[in-house]
């Protein structure tokens, strides 16, 4: 039996886990997730200072049409991030100040859209986190059906409703809902390990101890040879 076009109910990452995960950089989470889950770099923060952490509320639209985004806004819960498969289209903005203001008022944590937005200066002043392919002054149509609450492809990554979304100046990463709890301690350890390595570098220990063996494995150095 096929799912309806609008799926209203699905499991989400708990608010506690979202809060814990949101303390880490997207890069840290991507690393401990096996270097997977990062959206294509074409989707970036509208301003570098923008950060978001929340649960994915997925929306699929036709290029240049935002009908289903309006429907999604009325169904999303506080703490959700609208994750919109806009097919990478940049010929028209799917959202602007009016919709972003409504999202902020509704408690939606942010917007990630594989498409364009507009009114970027006003959105910056609002302090509402938006990640998009870019901007375009053209407005959208509101005519074409789409889907809500289904898996979507955004920036080359599959996003399921309820997954964890974390975004910052480096980009956006999606973590499968079931994997989040196990990754938190790994992320914490990685932060501590990186801090220790940076401290060692600052003391003068700049050598990458793994480099020679990696070069030998790649065939660049012969056995027993060193840089």
């Amino acid at each position: 039996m096929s799912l309806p076009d609008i799926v209203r109910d699905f499991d989400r990452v708990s608010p506690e886990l979202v809060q814990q995960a949101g303390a880490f950089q997207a890069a840290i989470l991507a690393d401990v997730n096996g270097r997977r889950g990062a959206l294509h770099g074409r989707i970036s923060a509208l301003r570098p200072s923008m950060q978001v952490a929340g649960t994915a509320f997925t929306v699929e639209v036709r290029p240049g049409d935002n009908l289903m985004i309006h429907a999604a806004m009325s169904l999303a819960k506080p703490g959700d991030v609208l994750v919109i498969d806009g097919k990478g289209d940049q010929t028209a903005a799917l959202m602007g100040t009016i919709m972003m203001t409504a999202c902020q008022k509704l408690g939606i944590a942010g917007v990630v859209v594989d498409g364009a937005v507009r009114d970027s200066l006003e959105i910056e002043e609002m302090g509402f986190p938006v990640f998009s392919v870019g901007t375009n002054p053209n407005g959208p149509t509101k005519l074409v059906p789409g889907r809500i609450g289904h898996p979507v492809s955004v920036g080359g990554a599959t996003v399921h409703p309820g997954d964890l979304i974390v975004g910052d100046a480096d980009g956006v990463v999606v973590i499968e809902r079931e994997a989040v709890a196990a990754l938190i301690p790994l992320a914490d350890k990685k932060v501590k390990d990186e801090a220790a390595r940076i401290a060692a570098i600052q003391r003068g220990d700049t050598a990458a101890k793994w480099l020679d063996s990696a070069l030998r494995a790649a065939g660049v150095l012969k056995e027993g040879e060193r840089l």
Side-chain angles (χ1 to χ4, degrees), residues 102-181:
C103 285
Q104 192 174 52
K105 184 67 175 178
L106 290 165
I108 291 171
V111 169
V112 175
V113 54
D114 200 344
V117 298
R118 66 181 183 180
D119 306 326
S120 58
L121 293 178
E122 294 174 354
I123 294 170
E124 179 183 15
E125 291 175 359
M126 291 167 53
F128 185 68
V130 175
F131 295 75
S132 71
V133 177
T135 59
N136 191 299
N138 281 339
T141 58
K142 298 172 174 59
L143 304 171
V144 187
R147 298 200 302 179
I148 292 172
H150 288 252
V152 293
S153 177
V154 176
T158 300
V159 184
H160 293 84
D163 282 349
L164 173 71
I165 299 293
V166 174
D168 57 26
D170 289 332
V172 180
V173 64
V174 54
I175 307 292
E176 295 91 340
R177 178 178 57 84
E178 299 85 356
V180 175

Side-chain angles (χ1 to χ4, degrees), residues 55-140:
T55 48
F57 193 93
T58 57
V59 191
E60 182 184 2
V61 302
R62 297 289 181 88
D65 192 283
N66 72 359
L67 176 65
M68 299 307 289
I69 303 175
H70 285 276
M73 289 167 57
S74 69
L75 297 173
K77 296 181 179 180
D80 282 343
V81 177
L82 295 185
V83 180
I84 303 160
D85 175 9
K87 315 303 180 188
D89 179 68
Q90 291 181 267
T91 63
L94 290 174
M95 301 178 73
T97 306
I98 292 175
M99 293 178 74
M100 299 300 186
T101 302
C103 285
Q104 192 174 52
K105 184 67 175 178
L106 290 165
I108 291 171
V111 169
V112 175
V113 54
D114 200 344
V117 298
R118 66 181 183 180
D119 306 326
S120 58
L121 293 178
E122 294 174 354
I123 294 170
E124 179 183 15
E125 291 175 359
M126 291 167 53
F128 185 68
V130 175
F131 295 75
S132 71
V133 177
T135 59
N136 191 299
N138 281 339

Side-chain angles (χ1 to χ4, degrees), residues 5-60:
D5 286 340
I6 297 178
V7 177
R8 291 173 168 81
D9 299 313
F10 48 84
D11 293 330
R12 290 167 165 84
V13 177
S14 71
E16 294 77 19
L17 285 176
V18 170
Q19 184 178 22
Q20 292 175 46
F24 299 107
Q25 293 178 330
I28 293 291
L29 292 171
D31 278 357
V32 299
N33 193 43
R35 292 178 171 83
R36 291 189 302 270
L39 276 56
H40 191 283
R42 69 173 181 266
I43 299 177
S44 60
L46 204 56
R47 296 292 183 269
S49 61
M50 292 179 173
Q51 296 178 299
V52 69
T55 48
F57 193 93
T58 57
V59 191
E60 182 184 2

